[in-house]
Amino acid sequence: MSSPAEQLEAEYWLTREQLHELLCKSGDLPAAASKILMYVATAVPVGERVDESASAIGGKVGMSTSATSRAVNALLADAWLEPAGRVVGVQTYRLGAAVYVTLGISKTGAPVDQADRPLATVRHLPVPTPTS
């Protein structure tokens, strides 16, 4: 049986629902930036850094170096990503503050105080078109 301290240090991965919410709420990002964000969100546990260069990530998702650079800069500017230090001279990244605010979680994956979360989420249902 694990102690409470061990449970707090356990790896936390985003759930399917959280990834879906992140994808929907980051929808105004360019497609290239969205690809990079989703790669980082699914590559490592929450709060961890991806030990790959931006160009390596871009290559894995089929992007050119220039498109990858623009996408990463856009994500950094809006705090979707943050620098996570250098590994052998290569800049690495992790999820940024915008992701945690959007999902209402801390960097450990724990939910933030419910008083800070929105009271409701509005979703529009499709309206069927009448047929003649």
Side-chain angles (χ1 to χ4, degrees):
M1 182 170 204
S2 61
S3 70
E6 289 172 351
Q7 291 174 357
L8 290 176
E9 296 176 12
E11 292 181 342
Y12 178 79
W13 293 81
L14 293 178
T15 64
R16 181 185 61 78
E17 292 83 9
Q18 288 171 321
L19 287 170
H20 180 74
E21 183 177 358
L22 179 60
L23 181 62
C24 292
K25 292 192 176 178
S26 65
D28 61 339
L29 290 172
S34 185
K35 280 184 174 182
I36 299 291
L37 179 61
M38 287 299 125
Y39 183 92
V40 173
T42 59
V44 293
V46 172
E48 297 291 320
R49 71 176 177 210
V50 176
D51 289 337
E52 298 174 68
S53 68
S55 59
I57 294 169
K60 286 185 176 181
V61 295
M63 294 169 43
S64 69
T65 304
S66 60
T68 301
S69 179
R70 285 191 302 272
V72 168
N73 288 334
L75 292 168
L76 289 170
D78 292 338
W80 290 105
L81 288 184
E82 65 183 27
R86 295 188 173 275
V87 174
V88 191
V90 175
Q91 181 63 55
T92 61
Y93 302 95
R94 71 171 57 103
L95 295 177
V99 173
Y100 303 116
V101 170
T102 298
L103 299 178
I105 60 173
S106 69
K107 287 189 176 188
T108 62
V112 295
D113 184 14
Q114 293 298 319
D116 297 334
R117 300 236 28 215
L119 294 177
T121 302
V122 176
R123 289 188 172 80
H124 298 280
L125 298 174
V127 177
T129 57
T131 56
S132 300

